[in-house]
Amino acid sequence: MKKEYPRLSYHIECTDEVKQSVVNTMGTFQDIVAEKCVEYFERYRRRTFVTPKSYLSFIGGYKAIYKEKFANVGSLSERMKTGLAKLMEAEVSVNQLSQELVMKEKDLVVASKKADEVLLEVTMKAQAAEKVKMQVQKVKDKAQAIVDDIAIDKAAAEEKLEAARPALEEAEAALQDSITGETVELLEPYLDMEDYNLETAKKVCGNVAGLCSWTQAMAYFYGINKEVLPLKANLALQEGRLAAAQMELNNAQIQLDEKQMELDQVQAMYDSAMKEKQALLDDAEACRRKMNNATALIEGLGGEKLRWTASSKNFQSQIINLVGNVLLATGFLSYSGPFNQEYRNLLLQLWKKEMDNNKIPYSNDLNLTGMLVDNATVGEWNLQGLPNDDLSIQNGIIVTKASRYPLLIDPQGQGKIWIKNKEKNNGLQVNG
């Protein structure tokens, strides 16, 4: 009659058929171990046996180890996938950056041409403006010299006029008529006489005295006015020249300001063009730097990409084979402890044969020791006193990984020494 085994109500990465085969094979594993217990006793007189609790422990161990290994392989697989995805993103990024760089370099050529054209225009206008500035500066300097000279002449004329002003005002105050030069010439013989004055005239005749005083005033006014009139005319002339020179100077300054404004505008155009060109240069350089960095990363990780791709495929294979690998590892931890190396190997052979018959996938090159413990831990065990042979290392795995406490048959005391050293910092209590 075919035995019915409980269903494994736990997610494992396999088909429903393989999952059911695992459930059935677990029971077969226990049956095989039960048969070998009898044979082992008959051969070595060492009694060992299995119980329903052994089977339940087998199932619980399978769940725990599968969960741990699946998470570990899944994490490594995800890291490889992430690394490959980043490399692919970098390759896509390099292509995009390469296309962007081509466009930016085209824009840079246009901007450079534009800047060169503006520079040529600036140079030409600057030369023209400089030429005009030099011409205008000459006009300005000449006009300024004229202004300065006229200012000196005007100041001199004003000084002379100011000096003559009291006499002029006095003569004007004494006059009710004008006089000519001819009249003054006719009066000169009389005016030169010593006694032709107001005091003498009063002594001779009072009426004549008024006429004498009037003729003297008329002659005096004529003399003063004759000297002042040229001064006034010269002052008016100098003021006219000054106004003309100042106007010429102002016009020259206006032309100079216009040329400078025109030059400033062209210079602003050039500065703007150069700023645009520099911005494109910086942008293109940043793009080129990103592309070079990404290219260096891709080239540097070229070999890693092949390894990661192979590892990613290997992880998928590991996940597929994990269902069988964990079955063998859990069977080893649950049942092989009481047996010697020969029977442990025999059990593994029989289990693999049963798994082959039930089409349960597993790794042909499976190393249970490497699967259950890493080299660093084994090295630490050796330093703590555990022998380095395969059987001792397997016993160490069973002691640390099995779900139930093991009983050590340790005639040489090696296991006891190892456990004491291993657990001395964990508050181990030893009786006897």
Side-chain angles (χ1 to χ4, degrees):
M1 181 177 180
K2 186 177 181 181
K3 294 182 180 180
E4 292 293 332
Y5 296 101
R7 293 182 60 82
L8 185 64
S9 57
Y10 184 78
H11 173 73
I12 56 178
E13 197 74 15
C14 63
T15 63
D16 291 338
E17 292 78 7
V18 170
K19 187 174 184 179
Q20 186 58 49
S21 295
V22 170
V23 173
N24 296 336
T25 303
M26 280 183 166
T28 305
F29 273 25
Q30 171 123 336
D31 292 342
I32 291 173
V33 175
E35 292 175 2
K36 293 305 172 184
C37 285
V38 176
E39 182 181 315
Y40 195 68
F41 176 74
E42 292 175 352
R43 184 171 177 181
Y44 295 103
R45 309 310 296 175
R46 292 181 183 176
R47 187 175 298 280
T48 182
F49 49 85
V50 292
T51 65
K53 189 174 182 180
S54 301
Y55 182 68
L56 294 177
S57 177
F58 180 28
I59 295 175
Y62 183 90
K63 292 179 180 179
I65 294 176
Y66 186 89
K67 181 179 181 181
E68 175 191 346
K69 296 300 179 181
F70 183 83
N72 183 44
V73 174
S75 175
L76 292 174
S77 177
E78 191 61 31
R79 286 169 58 187
M80 290 298 174
K81 288 180 180 178
T82 301
L84 288 171
K86 292 296 182 183
L87 280 178
M88 292 179 64
E89 288 178 7
E91 290 175 352
V92 172
S93 177
V94 167
N95 291 333
Q96 291 177 344
L97 289 171
S98 178
Q99 295 175 5
E100 289 180 13
L101 186 59
V102 170
M103 297 301 298
K104 291 180 186 300
E105 287 179 341
K106 288 182 179 178
D107 294 339
L108 188 59
V109 170
V110 174
S112 298
K113 184 178 180 182
K114 177 182 177 182
D116 292 341
E117 291 175 351
V118 174
L119 177 61
L120 180 61
E121 183 179 359
V122 169
T123 303
M124 293 175 62
K125 290 193 175 182
Q127 292 174 349
E130 191 62 31
K131 184 177 181 181
V132 172
K133 282 174 64 177
M134 290 175 64
Q135 294 173 348
V136 171
Q137 191 65 46
K138 289 180 180 179
V139 173
K140 182 180 177 182
D141 293 342
K142 181 179 178 181
Q144 187 65 54
I146 294 173
V147 168
D148 294 340
D149 291 343
I150 292 174
I152 294 173
D153 294 344
K154 180 184 176 185
E158 287 177 344
E159 184 179 357
K160 290 181 180 180
L161 184 60
E162 191 64 27
R165 187 178 302 280
L168 179 63
E169 290 176 352
E170 181 183 350
E172 286 178 342
L175 290 178
Q176 281 81 40
D177 203 350
S178 61
I179 190 171
T180 65
E182 183 179 358
T183 303
V184 173
E185 289 179 2
L186 292 174
L187 287 173
E188 280 183 356
Y190 300 100
L191 295 173
D192 292 337
M193 294 179 181
E194 293 182 3
D195 57 355
Y196 191 79
N197 53 56
L198 181 62
E199 296 300 325
T200 304
K202 284 181 178 181
K203 291 178 182 180
V204 176
C205 178
N207 294 332
V208 175
L211 179 62
C212 177
S213 177
W214 180 81
T215 54
Q216 283 182 326
M218 289 289 288
Y220 179 70
F221 172 77
Y222 178 80
I224 292 298
N225 200 39
K226 183 178 180 182
E227 182 180 351
V228 168
L229 284 177
L231 291 176
K232 286 184 177 181
N234 183 48
L235 181 61
L237 176 63
Q238 298 301 334
E239 287 178 345
R241 290 180 61 206
L242 179 61
Q246 191 64 51
M247 182 177 294
E248 186 176 4
L249 180 61
N250 292 339
N251 290 335
Q253 187 62 50
I254 290 173
Q255 292 183 39
L256 190 61
D257 292 342
E258 288 177 350
K259 286 298 177 182
Q260 187 61 49
M261 185 181 297
E262 183 179 326
L263 184 59
D264 292 342
Q265 290 174 349
V266 179
Q267 185 64 44
M269 289 172 57
Y270 177 70
D271 292 342
S272 176
M274 288 302 296
K275 184 177 180 181
E276 180 183 356
K277 178 182 177 180
Q278 188 60 47
L280 287 172
L281 275 172
D282 295 341
D283 195 20
E285 182 58 29
C287 181
R288 185 179 292 105
R289 188 165 52 251
K290 288 180 181 178
M291 187 181 72
N292 291 338
N293 291 340
T295 301
L297 176 64
I298 292 172
E299 292 176 351
L301 295 177
E304 294 298 314
K305 181 181 179 182
L306 297 176
R307 189 177 67 82
W308 291 352
T309 302
S311 297
S312 181
K313 293 179 180 178
N314 184 47
F315 286 136
Q316 295 302 316
S317 176
Q318 287 185 40
I319 290 175
I320 294 173
N321 293 333
L322 194 61
V323 60
N325 293 345
V326 173
L327 187 59
L328 290 170
T330 311
F332 171 80
L333 290 174
S334 300
Y335 296 117
S336 64
F339 298 101
N340 60 19
Q341 189 68 62
E342 178 187 352
Y343 267 74
R344 288 179 183 180
N345 293 335
L346 178 61
L347 286 174
L348 285 174
Q349 292 175 6
L350 294 173
W351 290 341
K352 289 180 179 179
K353 182 178 180 181
E354 187 65 25
M355 290 167 64
D356 289 336
N357 293 335
N358 288 278
K359 296 182 172 55
I360 298 175
Y362 65 92
S363 301
N364 292 324
D365 57 350
L366 177 64
N367 181 346
L368 287 178
T369 299
M371 179 180 178
L372 294 172
V373 68
D374 56 74
N375 292 331
T377 302
V378 172
E380 187 177 358
W381 288 352
N382 296 150
L383 293 175
Q384 292 165 348
L386 185 71
N388 197 31
D389 60 278
D390 291 341
L391 183 63
S392 296
I393 294 173
Q394 289 178 0
N395 289 338
I397 293 172
I398 294 170
V399 168
T400 56
K401 298 287 186 180
S403 60
R404 292 184 293 173
Y405 294 111
L407 175 64
L408 271 66
I409 301 174
D410 187 30
Q412 297 178 353
Q414 293 174 327
K416 183 178 180 180
I417 294 173
W418 170 61
I419 291 177
K420 282 184 176 181
N421 291 332
K422 183 177 185 300
E423 301 298 330
K424 66 180 179 181
N425 295 326
N426 298 323
L428 177 67
Q429 296 181 2
V430 180
N431 295 324

